[in-house]
Amino acid sequence: MKSSQSLPRVLRVVRQFSNHTEQFGYKKVLEGEKEGLVRGVFASVAGNYDVMNDLMSGGMHRLWKDDFVQKIGIQAMVAARRQTKSTEPLRFLDVAGGTGDISFRIIKALEKSGALDDAVSQETSQEGGLVRPGSVVTISDINPAMLEAGRKRAFDGRFSRQTLAHVGFREANAQTLPFEDNSFDVYTIAAKEEAA
């Protein structure tokens, strides 16, 4: 086998440019390396991610997220479902949802509108068991450490067991989601660089 030095100059140049690069922070990395680097960064900060957001935004991220969820129009969607007598619960997918900031706001809005009560009464059999145990809100993230931080927050006492029955967690890459088409009513993503 010939070394790259013995290859004709044209082939060496082609090989050099065939290694495509992507931006990662302030440096370029080889295509395909970025996903692992992003995973590593978020794995290392998962336990302190929410505190970091508070410090970096001066707490403003909480207002941005409140506004984001308010603009979804959950109360209007719930009212429309009731008006049409739909028996299907609204289903939300929060991609790159990690620690649950957006999802937990959605859950609170659903609780406030009574939509979770509707979902429970429609999904409960006469014997009291769940007929369709599917989630109403699915938190999806590529990073298992971020999802674990979200699980811990979900089970810290802020929600009842009945409410938590409507929350699911799924490790998944935002670029290749493992869900059926049209299986969610609302898709949210509040991340920018991670999904790029």
Side-chain angles (χ1 to χ4, degrees):
M1 178 169 220
K2 296 181 178 182
S3 74
S4 64
Q5 292 298 333
S6 64
L7 290 173
R9 178 169 165 44
V10 173
L11 288 177
R12 285 196 310 264
V13 170
V14 168
R15 179 179 281 174
Q16 176 184 356
F17 287 105
S18 68
N19 293 329
H20 298 284
T21 60
E22 298 180 272
Q23 200 67 34
F24 179 73
Y26 295 106
K27 65 181 182 177
K28 290 190 181 275
V29 297
L30 289 176
E31 188 175 12
E33 290 181 353
K34 183 177 179 179
E35 183 178 317
L37 293 169
V38 169
R39 281 180 192 255
V41 166
F42 282 91
S44 70
V45 301
N48 297 311
Y49 185 76
D50 296 319
V51 173
M52 287 175 44
N53 273 341
D54 278 334
L55 292 173
M56 291 188 297
S57 73
M60 289 295 293
H61 75 103
R62 295 175 186 273
L63 298 174
W64 298 329
K65 291 171 183 175
D66 287 343
D67 187 55
F68 180 87
V69 171
Q70 188 269 330
K71 286 182 177 177
I72 293 172
I74 292 170
Q75 288 186 335
M77 286 190 283
V78 170
R81 286 284 168 113
R82 287 183 180 143
Q83 188 174 16
T84 61
K85 296 182 175 31
S86 173
T87 60
E88 289 294 316
L90 289 166
R91 299 202 183 274
F92 295 81
L93 175 62
D94 185 17
V95 175
T99 62
D101 269 355
I102 297 296
S103 296
F104 298 153
R105 283 168 170 79
I106 291 170
I107 287 288
K108 286 179 182 176
L110 289 168
E111 281 181 323
K112 185 177 177 181
S113 69
L116 293 181
D117 296 333
D118 294 349
V120 169
S121 66
Q122 292 166 6
E123 293 185 19
T124 304
S125 71
Q126 292 185 5
E127 296 81 36
L130 287 179
V131 175
R132 288 184 317 216
S135 302
V136 172
V137 178
T138 300
I139 302 170
S140 174
D141 202 289
I142 194 171
N143 194 293
M146 292 291 283
L147 286 173
E148 185 56 32
R151 271 190 205 92
K152 285 179 182 173
R153 286 185 64 205
F155 289 92
D156 70 358
R158 71 183 68 207
F159 298 113
S160 70
R161 284 186 59 187
Q162 185 175 4
T163 295
L164 289 173
H166 298 286
V167 179
F169 294 85
R170 181 72 184 265
E171 184 179 337
N173 184 330
Q175 296 175 338
T176 56
L177 291 171
F179 306 108
E180 294 287 326
D181 290 347
N182 301 313
S183 56
F184 295 95
D185 300 292
V186 178
Y187 172 107
T188 62
I189 185 165
K192 65 172 192 133
E193 184 62 30
E194 299 88 292

